[in-house]
Amino acid sequence: MEIIIQPDADAASLAGAAVIDALIRRKPAAVLGLATGSTPLTLYRELIRRHREEGLDFSRVTTFNLDEYLGLAPAHPASYHFYMRENFFHQVNLSAARAHLPDGLAADVPAACRRYEEQIAAAGGIDLQVLGIGADGHIGFNEPSSSLASRTRVKTLTMETLRDNARHFTDPGEQPRHVITMGVGTIMDARTVLLFAFGPAKARAVAAAVEGPVTASVPASALQLHPRAVLFLDQAAAGDLRRREYYRWVHENKPDWQRF
Ligand code: PGA
């Protein structure tokens, strides 16, 4: 794991955007795995800025989002379809046909989950997956106890996640308890993983993921087994890391050829 601690969330987001920019310029038909939530908003804003001002071209890029609420229509303002259209898709030149999210309204959910995995494979696999982390250690919506070998499937959200995300629903009765999410195994197949975590509420989960044992109780800890997982943290999210001075030292002393 590479731990990059930045002064604040904006600096961490800009550093992550630069990695994605470099990938797309090197591989214009790159396949990106995308995340929702409050964490990647600045990352998307910076990618949009690079598209508008610096010619970053998404016309051949393919995307797959991590998850979607079961039962929410794409037009629902709390759906991840809606989030992605508003915060990213509509502001770059990405082809709608190449922007994928799980289908929260699928009539046959297991078949839709299998098809999502097949679509990822048919696209050549995910080159770079963007991740946030839940306060309970989830990645995607793989809540604690998720199999570390899991694939795209339905999950039931924890009470903690339901509470964390309640702010997105004006009518609490509309908040789904179930989601379709890529599995931990799906995420682990991405060639590069960038995980972003900001704020003190994420410090405990980050420390458990980086310095705790690899365990299904902290799904993000599976990333310890990933050959190319990079964590972009602000000071607060790095606050509980015992070796944070070492991670800073590593970053400051990286040979140029090894830098992103
Ligand atoms: P957040 O969610 O970015 O809204 O904090 C992250 C997550 O639950 O993975």
Side-chain angles (χ1 to χ4, degrees), residues 45-60:
R45 268 200 298 276
E46 172 64 7
L47 290 173
I48 293 162
R49 188 198 66 74
R50 284 169 182 258
H51 166 66
R52 290 190 180 145
E53 296 174 16
E54 296 171 10
L56 183 59
D57 180 9
F58 290 88
S59 63
R60 294 176 60 201

Side-chain angles (χ1 to χ4, degrees), residues 156-252:
T156 307
L157 298 177
T158 61
M159 299 302 285
E160 187 177 7
T161 300
L162 287 169
R163 270 195 306 273
D164 286 349
N165 288 347
R167 66 186 191 280
H168 301 298
F169 293 86
T170 37
D171 174 0
E174 283 191 353
Q175 185 178 12
R177 295 179 180 178
H178 297 97
V179 293
I180 298 178
T181 180
M182 282 187 201
V184 180
T186 320
I187 293 168
M188 292 293 286
D189 283 350
R191 289 184 267 279
T192 295
V193 172
L194 306 188
L195 184 147
F196 297 84
F198 309 136
K202 302 296 173 69
R204 201 167 48 94
V206 167
V210 175
E211 295 177 341
V214 173
T215 168
S217 294
V218 182
S221 67
L223 297 175
Q224 292 177 30
L225 298 173
H226 195 285
R228 204 168 150 83
V230 188
L231 277 66
F232 289 93
L233 310 175
D234 67 0
Q235 302 284 339
D240 285 359
L241 289 168
R242 274 184 297 125
R243 297 197 180 86
R244 64 178 177 278
E245 291 316 317
Y246 172 63
Y247 307 138
R248 279 209 184 85
W249 165 259
V250 169
H251 192 56
E252 281 159 15

Side-chain angles (χ1 to χ4, degrees), residues 36-40 66-67 80 131-136 138-141 161 164-165 167-168 196 198 202:
T36 49
S38 44
T39 304
L66 284 166
D67 41 23
Y80 290 158
L131 290 179
I133 184 171
D136 63 2
H138 70 217
I139 46 175
F141 269 136
T161 300
D164 286 349
N165 288 347
R167 66 186 191 280
H168 301 298
F196 297 84
F198 309 136
K202 302 296 173 69

Side-chain angles (χ1 to χ4, degrees), residues 33-118:
L34 299 178
T36 49
S38 44
T39 304
L41 285 171
T42 307
L43 173 77
Y44 293 142
R45 268 200 298 276
E46 172 64 7
L47 290 173
I48 293 162
R49 188 198 66 74
R50 284 169 182 258
H51 166 66
R52 290 190 180 145
E53 296 174 16
E54 296 171 10
L56 183 59
D57 180 9
F58 290 88
S59 63
R60 294 176 60 201
V61 168
T62 296
T63 66
F64 290 93
N65 264 79
L66 284 166
D67 41 23
E68 179 57 287
Y69 286 109
L70 204 59
L72 283 198
H76 192 288
S79 76
Y80 290 158
H81 279 77
F82 189 94
Y83 170 108
M84 289 309 299
R85 279 198 308 274
E86 291 292 304
N87 294 303
F88 190 53
F89 293 160
H90 277 182
Q91 301 180 63
V92 293
N93 63 334
L94 186 71
S95 148
R98 275 197 285 274
H100 305 87
L101 287 95
D103 179 3
L105 295 181
D108 183 342
V109 173
C113 293
R114 275 196 305 278
R115 197 164 56 247
Y116 204 60
E117 290 280 339
E118 286 161 10

Side-chain angles (χ1 to χ4, degrees), residues 120-165:
I120 294 172
I126 293 172
D127 291 304
L128 183 148
Q129 176 68 55
V130 174
L131 290 179
I133 184 171
D136 63 2
H138 70 217
I139 46 175
F141 269 136
N142 294 283
E143 299 286 33
S145 80
S146 288
S147 161
L148 300 186
S150 50
R151 313 302 304 189
T152 302
R153 72 217 183 289
V154 170
K155 286 296 291 180
T156 307
L157 298 177
T158 61
M159 299 302 285
E160 187 177 7
T161 300
L162 287 169
R163 270 195 306 273
D164 286 349
N165 288 347

